[in-house]
Amino acid sequence: MTGYRETKFRAVTAFQRRVLNPVLRRVPGQTLLETTGRKSRLPRRTPIGGRRTGNEFWFVSEYGEKSQYVRNIQADPRVRVRLRGRWHAGTAHAVPQDDPRVRLLSLPRFNSAAVRAVGTNLLTFRVDLKE
């Protein structure tokens, strides 16, 4: 990763981790992704933007395999997604053959704009929901 991209990644993730995510986790209608910490085995909740289509939930990670929640998914793909205040169990899968920029056009506009603005290694994910 180039120096600029690494600096951008560190600045954005520090802001998300310390300021934005703690606030968004408390917003009742915010979509959350719950993974299991790969080391701690504790639940980890991350605010995300995405869209449910039938029994699938689609989202794009702005940092791909560098994101902590992506590393957690790689270690244990069983996740939960909170949609409109209700939790849904599922299995998350990276979809590297999907074009994340095209996918973002079908996802919530505000979140998609933020992902495009700060993302450096976009990667599409699909969660197969059990309910």
Side-chain angles (χ1 to χ4, degrees):
M1 196 178 269
T2 66
Y4 169 76
R5 288 177 66 176
E6 183 63 26
T7 301
K8 180 180 175 181
F9 169 77
R10 288 175 189 244
V12 170
T13 56
F15 176 76
Q16 287 174 332
R17 192 174 301 129
R18 293 185 180 98
V19 178
L20 192 60
N21 289 356
V23 171
L24 290 177
R25 276 193 290 267
R26 290 176 173 77
V27 175
Q30 174 65 48
T31 301
L32 295 177
L33 175 69
E34 183 181 83
T35 60
T36 301
R38 64 194 175 281
K39 295 178 185 177
S40 70
R41 306 306 299 161
L42 296 173
R44 301 295 183 197
R45 293 181 176 173
T46 304
I48 60 171
R51 176 158 287 134
R52 183 177 184 164
T53 305
N55 285 331
E56 298 174 339
F57 179 79
W58 291 84
F59 68 95
V60 175
S61 168
E62 60 264 75
Y63 295 113
E65 294 182 357
K66 279 195 81 165
S67 295
Q68 296 301 315
Y69 68 88
V70 170
R71 291 178 179 185
N72 291 343
I73 289 169
Q74 290 171 332
D76 183 353
R78 294 172 297 175
V79 299
R80 292 192 321 151
V81 181
R82 187 180 78 178
L83 301 167
R84 297 186 180 130
R86 186 166 174 253
W87 286 100
H88 303 270
T91 306
H93 308 275
V95 188
Q97 68 275 17
D98 188 72
D99 184 337
R101 295 205 175 270
V102 172
R103 177 66 59 188
L104 286 169
L105 296 174
S106 68
L107 301 180
R109 187 175 302 154
F110 179 75
N111 182 76
S112 294
V115 169
R116 277 192 301 274
V118 302
T120 57
N121 190 23
L122 305 181
L123 179 60
T124 302
F125 278 83
R126 182 188 78 237
V127 178
D128 296 327
L129 302 172
K130 294 183 181 178
E131 322 172 31

